[in-house]
Amino acid sequence: MTGCLNLFQATMLQWRDLHPYNAAHAVLVAGALDATRLSAAIATHLEGAGLTGLEVDAARCRYRYRGGPATVALTVIPAVGDAGRAVAVEIERQLNAGFPATGRIDPFRFFAVTTAASFHLGVAYDHFVAGGDSIAVLLHDVAARYAGGAAAPAPDVYPATYAQLFRRHAVALLRGLPQLPAIAASCRRSFRPRYADSDDGTNGFVHVRVEATAFAALRRVAEGWGVTTSDVLLALMHDALSPLAIGRRSERRRTLLGVAMIVNVRRDFQPDARAAFGQFLSSIRVAHAVPDGIGIEVLARDIHAETARSKRRKLYLQTLVGVAVGALAWRFLSPARRARFHAKNYPVWGGLTPIDADALWRTAGSTAPAPDYIRGVSTGPLTPIVVAATVAGGALSLGLTFRTTAFAREVVNNVAATMLHRIHELAAEAPR
């Protein structure tokens, strides 16, 4: 059987022609590492899930899993000192290491960052093959198999493309088309990120963690404001990134700061992450002036008005229309213009990609919450910084990937510290 790549997957293949477009996850596993047993568990799971022998025809946007034995080259990294720091260093390395572009490829690279009493089981993957939810379930199943659990049921590796999504929600798609001029107008009014070298796609990575008590308080704050936790995180990103885009204050037209949130559209036309392996993504873009002195509550409420409207009217479908138009235009651009295309036409300073690993652990059949979980996602040519927000064990992990040609590491460390400080401030004021 041959599968068809959806719009977002095909776009990711275009992006990785400029620079590797990978993602990486790592989950904590109790007990000392048995590398031989782990390699066997990985191979057995991949073979049973039908995730081996991948062939990609990028020109025709088609792929096929031919099966066969898995090739597992497990990288083992002994942690020296802080294990979380060692995981972050390995994730950064993996984000910048490419996969083969076409032909028969292995889209997964596994690694383990070890201490005497535990290890982080990690996987880097060519992002076009799957979204974060599918990978979280894959890691759960590998860890369960390593612990002696039974084989997981094989997922559908040839899910439907977005054609089915558009057919199922044709009315919402048509009703939302008149919003495209407003989206374009917002882009024209948004301040563009600056890159010292647009051709340099190198990613850096930093990571911070919000403990479960503070994150539970943040959730109560969001509930009290009548917004979602993701709305609060988008507000915190606008707040932390605003000083980096201070040049918009002297602009007459481009005065807005754009931040995008990745939306998983799986529920609109696909079964859950246990049943279908793949990638089902779109995005919502929110632009705000972030005036001096605005509070996080006001900012979050403003953002919620936009995100709630987009979800209610399914305006993320219009983003996919824009993706299709952009993919068509991409074919006629030189490599240099491709590197600058999104910054010029769809300016965003940050992206938020949230997943709830605890919920995905339940989907995968676990009665316990997910252990400590760290995740990083490539920025690609779309945005200079991406925040991967992952809920695991009731805590919140924030993995910040950044274009090194846009921000120095100390700048991103300050962004992470600012977000963390604001979260703790809000948590301290949360109702009990």
Side-chain angles (χ1 to χ4, degrees):
M1 182 175 180
T2 301
C4 296
L5 301 174
N6 64 42
L7 282 172
F8 223 101
Q9 289 177 306
T11 298
M12 288 180 174
L13 289 181
Q14 292 178 333
W15 290 351
R16 73 173 190 167
D17 284 342
L18 301 177
H19 185 269
Y21 194 77
N22 308 336
H25 295 208
V27 65
L28 184 65
V29 178
L33 171 67
D34 181 334
T36 301
R37 181 156 57 97
L38 179 59
S39 294
I42 293 169
T44 301
H45 177 71
L46 292 179
E47 291 163 10
L51 293 172
T52 60
L54 176 62
E55 292 183 348
V56 180
D57 183 344
R60 299 173 62 208
C61 291
R62 294 185 178 275
Y63 69 98
R64 181 178 182 181
Y65 288 100
R66 288 192 172 273
T71 302
V72 179
L74 178 67
T75 301
V76 178
I77 305 111
V80 178
D82 183 2
R85 170 61 182 161
V87 172
V89 169
E90 180 60 16
I91 285 177
E92 179 173 317
R93 187 184 75 82
Q94 293 285 354
L95 293 177
N96 290 295
F99 287 89
T102 58
R104 191 160 182 161
I105 67 173
D106 180 0
F108 309 106
R109 291 193 297 258
F110 288 86
F111 60 92
V113 178
T114 65
T115 66
S118 63
F119 64 94
H120 279 84
L121 165 62
V123 60
Y125 58 102
D126 206 339
H127 201 351
F128 82 91
V129 300
D133 55 352
S134 287
I135 297 300
V137 170
L138 183 151
L139 276 185
H140 169 278
D141 292 345
V142 169
R145 193 63 182 256
Y146 173 77
D156 180 6
V157 297
Y158 299 106
T161 65
Y162 286 169
Q164 180 175 320
L165 172 68
F166 292 151
R167 285 194 298 268
R168 182 171 293 185
H169 300 285
V171 173
L173 176 63
L174 292 173
R175 285 178 176 173
L177 289 177
Q179 296 296 315
L180 288 175
I183 295 173
S186 174
C187 290
R188 287 194 298 270
R189 294 178 56 212
S190 296
F191 194 61
R192 293 169 175 168
R194 303 285 193 262
Y195 300 99
D197 181 0
S198 296
D199 295 328
D200 184 356
T202 304
N203 286 181
F205 181 76
V206 300
H207 170 259
V208 294
R209 190 171 188 268
V210 180
E211 297 299 331
T213 302
F215 184 54
L218 184 70
R219 282 175 151 168
R220 294 197 299 272
V221 168
E223 183 179 0
W225 290 349
V227 306
T228 69
T229 306
S230 291
D231 292 328
V232 177
L233 292 176
L234 285 171
L236 293 170
M237 289 180 65
H238 275 87
D239 173 71
L241 292 170
S242 181
L244 306 183
I246 200 66
R248 72 189 191 284
R249 298 290 193 228
S250 59
E251 289 275 331
R252 295 183 59 186
R253 182 165 62 97
R254 296 186 177 275
T255 59
L256 301 179
L257 175 65
V259 175
M261 182 175 72
I262 297 300
V263 178
N264 191 331
V265 299
R266 178 191 287 273
R267 292 180 181 177
D268 287 324
F269 74 120
Q270 293 288 352
D272 64 30
R274 159 62 73 215
F277 184 90
Q279 186 246 83
F280 317 101
L281 303 178
S282 185
S283 66
I284 295 172
R285 181 181 180 278
V286 180
H288 198 285
V290 197
D292 292 336
I294 189 171
I296 299 298
E297 179 177 357
V298 174
L299 192 50
R301 289 180 187 273
D302 288 349
I303 288 170
H304 177 72
E306 289 295 316
T307 59
R309 183 176 69 94
S310 294
K311 293 173 185 177
R312 183 176 63 254
R313 300 178 63 180
K314 298 187 182 298
L315 296 182
Y316 46 80
L317 297 176
Q318 317 318 314
T319 301
L320 294 175
V321 174
V323 167
V325 173
L328 180 62
W330 191 272
R331 300 179 183 182
F332 302 100
L333 301 177
S334 67
R337 293 183 66 190
R338 288 174 177 177
R340 299 190 296 268
F341 178 77
H342 291 291
K344 179 180 179 181
N345 296 287
Y346 194 75
V348 291
W349 281 72
L352 173 68
T353 170
I355 68 168
D356 186 340
D358 286 341
L360 291 165
W361 244 237
R362 292 191 295 271
T363 296
S366 178
T367 57
D372 183 57
Y373 206 108
I374 303 175
R375 185 167 63 102
V377 179
S378 290
T379 59
L382 183 61
T383 176
I385 188 166
V386 174
V387 178
T390 309
V391 179
L396 176 67
S397 164
L398 298 176
L400 289 79
T401 309
F402 60 98
R403 290 274 297 275
T404 58
T405 190
F407 300 132
R409 189 175 299 274
E410 55 268 27
V411 171
V412 180
N413 284 333
N414 287 336
V415 170
T418 297
M419 293 182 66
L420 199 59
H421 176 69
R422 293 276 193 263
I423 288 171
H424 287 140
E425 281 186 332
L426 294 173
E429 299 170 0
R432 300 297 176 183

